[in-house]
Amino acid sequence: LKYATSCCGSGAMARAGRNDANAQVMEILAENVVDPNGDLVGRNKIQSHNLLALYFSARWCPPCKLFTPVLKEAYTAVRQEYGAAEFEVIFVSYDRDGEDWKWYVGQMPWLSIPFHNEYAAAMLKVQYEVSAIPRLVVIDTRGRTIVSSARGGDLFGIGNDSLLAYKQIRNNVVDKDAKAKESTG
């Protein structure tokens, strides 16, 4: 999924590489994401949300154990305020075995990449350069990164206002869309 953009010297080439990678991300999600019952959700369900958060985490990870309940509260608050189509979380596991994944995903109300689908999880980890967990990457339904790390600081975290954090993330979408229009116009 990685594309070398500095070798070409062309902004158009760099954008094309990112667009290809973004399309590949959306393809991976469309073909691999399951709901809490284990049923494949498909492209239409994935693309019915305004924003997607890829949650890289594991049951064995102490900071993840602290952040997962915070994210769960934020997820509920955002969806109650804006509606279910506004925001979806997709769990991407760093668990060591299927039993841990099964237990951990059972604590979550959102979607996930199945543990046995190592290829899809690995591709997402590489694409978003995940080197430490927990990590929350927010993307739009075109696969564009909106926030590369939405955990902590003024965003989703212990003691933070979830709705205020989400408004900041949504503002990043508006900023990205405005910058995209400027660069093409």
Side-chain angles (χ1 to χ4, degrees):
L1 284 179
K2 290 238 173 243
Y3 287 86
T5 57
S6 59
C7 68
C8 305
S10 164
M13 290 295 289
R15 280 191 300 279
R18 281 194 304 272
N19 290 339
D20 288 348
N22 295 344
Q24 287 178 346
V25 164
M26 295 313 297
E27 194 66 28
I28 287 169
L29 296 177
E31 294 176 357
N32 296 288
V33 172
V34 297
D35 65 17
N37 297 320
D39 298 323
L40 188 66
V41 298
R43 182 179 317 282
N44 291 340
K45 170 92 173 174
I46 296 293
Q47 293 187 329
S48 71
H49 302 285
N50 290 328
L51 292 176
L52 303 167
L54 303 177
Y55 181 40
F56 299 89
S57 183
R59 179 181 180 186
W60 55 263
C61 167
C64 300
K65 290 178 185 180
L66 293 174
F67 183 65
T68 299
V70 171
L71 181 57
K72 193 173 178 179
E73 287 178 22
Y75 174 83
T76 301
V78 168
R79 289 168 64 97
Q80 284 176 346
E81 179 74 17
Y82 295 102
E86 179 66 25
F87 181 63
E88 186 58 76
V89 174
I90 300 168
F91 171 56
V92 184
S93 178
Y94 267 79
D95 283 306
R96 295 177 179 138
D97 61 56
E99 287 303 310
D100 278 347
W101 172 84
K102 187 175 181 179
W103 183 90
Y104 198 39
V105 82
Q107 311 303 306
M108 302 173 181
W110 46 71
L111 307 176
S112 68
I113 300 286
F115 179 79
H116 67 271
N117 196 329
E118 295 171 19
Y119 173 79
M123 294 302 283
L124 294 170
K125 291 169 187 176
V126 168
Q127 173 63 24
Y128 295 105
E129 299 176 350
V130 179
S131 60
I133 57 173
R135 174 100 176 267
L136 187 67
V137 177
V138 179
I139 63 174
D140 65 12
T141 55
R142 290 179 275 179
R144 295 183 309 168
T145 302
I146 304 303
V147 178
S148 63
S149 183
R151 176 185 158 259
D154 292 334
L155 299 176
F156 296 120
I158 297 169
N160 291 357
D161 181 325
S162 299
L163 295 178
L164 183 59
Y166 191 72
K167 286 177 187 173
Q168 287 182 261
I169 292 168
R170 289 179 78 205
N171 288 340
N172 280 353
V173 175
V174 172
D175 291 345
K176 280 196 181 286
D177 287 343
K179 287 178 183 172
K181 285 181 185 176
E182 286 175 11
S183 70
T184 59

